[in-house]
Amino acid sequence: MKITKENLVGWGACLGGIEFFDAHFPSGEADYQDVLDELAKEDRPDYALWLLKRAGADTTKKLELDELIVEGSFFFSGSISIRGVIKITKNLFAGSGIEAGDGIKAGWGIEAGDGIKAG
């Protein structure tokens, strides 16, 4: 799924969000997940949550791992399924559901489009 500057303008993005996108994606388009990765790297949970609510879940994306441990924030466009534990020091957002076999811990916040399940 691609995110374009035209999408952002059409969705009513703020000037700061459009400037962020222009600075990081000068071609005017980027893969949805690449945008979320850049927002996590730059610690912009406000922009990430806004984008996830406008663009919605990417139902073609599913992250499956044994564990997910991140210093900082982690944003994913689809669903997250972790067999063990999820530990995030800041924010964990997913376009669809989040599931962990052993538990979920986030320092600041957790949001998922389709629900959260742990242990």
Side-chain angles (χ1 to χ4, degrees), residues 36-73:
L36 291 173
D37 290 345
E38 195 64 27
L39 291 169
K41 180 179 159 191
E42 297 293 326
D43 196 24
R44 294 307 311 240
D46 51 343
Y47 289 175
L49 194 55
W50 181 92
L51 181 59
L52 283 163
K53 289 182 180 198
R54 297 320 179 279
D58 184 343
T59 58
T60 66
K61 301 276 186 179
K62 184 167 186 174
L63 179 65
E64 295 178 324
L65 298 170
D66 288 329
E67 66 180 15
L68 179 61
I69 300 172
V70 176
E71 287 290 325
S73 292

Side-chain angles (χ1 to χ4, degrees), residues 2-13 28 30 50-51 54:
K2 294 285 183 190
I3 300 297
T4 66
K5 183 176 179 178
E6 289 76 25
N7 292 139
L8 299 178
V9 170
W11 292 330
W50 181 92
L51 181 59
R54 297 320 179 279

Side-chain angles (χ1 to χ4, degrees), residues 45-117:
D46 51 343
Y47 289 175
L49 194 55
W50 181 92
L51 181 59
L52 283 163
K53 289 182 180 198
R54 297 320 179 279
D58 184 343
T59 58
T60 66
K61 301 276 186 179
K62 184 167 186 174
L63 179 65
E64 295 178 324
L65 298 170
D66 288 329
E67 66 180 15
L68 179 61
I69 300 172
V70 176
E71 287 290 325
S73 292
F74 187 80
F75 312 134
F76 193 69
S77 60
S79 65
I80 298 172
S81 180
I82 307 300
R83 289 176 280 285
V85 66
I86 297 174
K87 290 183 185 175
I88 309 292
T89 60
K90 291 189 178 180
N91 295 286
L92 172 62
F93 302 154
S96 192
I98 300 171
E99 184 176 342
D102 289 336
I104 302 171
K105 182 177 181 181
W108 294 359
I110 302 171
E111 286 225 17
D114 283 338
I116 300 168
K117 181 179 176 183

